[in-house]
Amino acid sequence: MTTTQQIAGQEWRPNLFIAGFAKAGTTELSDYLSQHPDIFLPFEKEPNTFYDLAKYPAYFSGDRSGNARKRIFSLDDYYNLFSKGEKYRYRIDGTVSYTFDPKFSHILKSFSENAKVILLIRNQAHRLASIYFQTFVYHKENDFSRWLQEYLVPYIRTFMYYDKVVAYYQEFGDNNNSNNNLRVIETNNLGSEDVHKQIFEYLEVKPIKINIRHK
């Protein structure tokens, strides 16, 4: 079988997208869920394969020009990442850049039609503080107000929730809740057993005890 034929198959494709939002707990939740025997998390949580925007948000990269970005895995590399998990019930792609623009909801749906999506939202002020301090080593801007104006404001549309949540709901949600493949979770306490139970019910997998110190 050629590589092209392999990529065309469905059984290897990620079918659980923890698509963001950035600095809202995607890494934490991915690590927790990876402890489940039915869930596969590849060595690279954020392959960014479908990211195709001309610029990358400066607040997230620390590069004001918007040219610096994380590695974007080719489709061949994407296949090599996830084909190792084809025997698992779920394969996680935790790429947060898929919430930088509403269009990515349609791209993910087209690529993996029966996938489920989890969107994590967090108090925006807390997100801002987390992003600022995480990227400080790159931007080195001591004036937070200036950082907001130069690194956030030009990319503010990528930071906001509403239009992306609506787009993902249109692609993966369902008004009758009979085929709702979307969950939006506020990340007040991702270590909560109640939250884990709700996610396992959503995924229809056997609940397990998550080791929250594993992260």
Side-chain angles (χ1 to χ4, degrees):
M1 182 181 293
T2 67
T3 302
T4 300
Q5 289 172 320
Q6 289 173 321
I7 289 176
Q10 295 290 328
E11 65 279 356
W12 66 271
R13 300 187 182 208
N15 57 356
L16 176 56
F17 292 99
I18 303 179
F21 289 81
K23 301 310 297 179
T26 59
T27 299
E28 180 178 357
L29 183 59
S30 296
D31 285 346
Y32 290 162
L33 294 183
S34 72
Q35 297 177 39
H36 197 286
D38 291 334
I39 299 176
F40 173 76
L41 179 69
F43 72 85
E44 174 53 64
K45 177 183 87 68
E46 301 185 44
N48 290 286
T49 298
F50 304 107
Y51 190 84
D52 62 354
L53 300 182
K55 295 290 184 179
Y56 203 78
Y59 62 81
F60 194 66
S61 68
D63 172 35
R64 188 167 50 188
S65 72
N67 293 322
R69 61 186 68 201
K70 288 191 175 183
R71 175 186 174 186
I72 297 178
F73 280 58
S74 69
L75 192 56
D76 282 338
D77 291 336
Y78 200 61
Y79 169 78
N80 289 331
L81 267 184
F82 286 100
S83 60
K84 298 177 179 65
E86 63 183 2
K87 294 182 179 179
Y88 290 75
R89 183 167 181 180
Y90 289 101
R91 295 163 293 281
I92 295 175
D93 180 341
T95 301
V96 298
S97 64
Y98 296 156
T99 50
F100 288 166
D101 191 283
K103 73 174 184 177
F104 291 118
S105 61
H106 178 70
I107 292 172
L108 298 186
K109 180 70 172 182
S110 298
F111 184 77
S112 188
E113 183 178 4
N114 297 316
K116 292 179 180 287
V117 173
I118 296 176
L119 298 181
L120 301 178
I121 61 174
R122 180 186 182 190
N123 177 288
Q124 291 284 49
H126 296 168
R127 279 186 73 206
L128 274 179
S130 181
I131 290 172
Y132 172 78
F133 286 114
Q134 183 188 39
T135 59
F136 184 83
V137 66
Y138 302 109
H139 62 72
K140 297 181 175 62
E141 177 54 71
N142 288 308
D143 188 325
F144 184 67
S145 296
R146 184 179 299 162
W147 178 84
L148 288 174
Q149 289 300 316
E150 296 183 358
Y151 288 82
L152 175 70
V153 171
Y155 303 91
I156 190 67
R157 291 186 63 181
T158 69
F159 188 78
M160 305 307 289
Y161 290 142
Y162 180 77
D163 56 337
K164 290 78 168 185
V165 172
V166 168
Y168 273 96
Y169 180 78
Q170 290 172 343
E171 295 290 345
F172 292 94
D174 186 276
N175 287 326
N176 298 318
N177 207 37
S178 59
N179 188 31
N180 193 337
N181 285 337
L182 174 68
R183 286 293 182 276
V184 181
I185 301 173
E186 188 172 7
T187 59
N188 290 330
N189 187 6
L190 286 178
S192 164
E193 290 187 12
D194 288 338
V195 173
H196 300 162
K197 180 181 177 181
Q198 292 172 25
I199 295 175
F200 291 142
E201 288 177 353
Y202 165 55
L203 298 177
E204 299 179 301
V205 295
K206 182 179 179 179
I208 65 167
K209 174 72 173 178
I210 295 293
N211 177 8
I212 62 173
R213 295 181 181 178
H214 177 267
K215 180 173 76 72

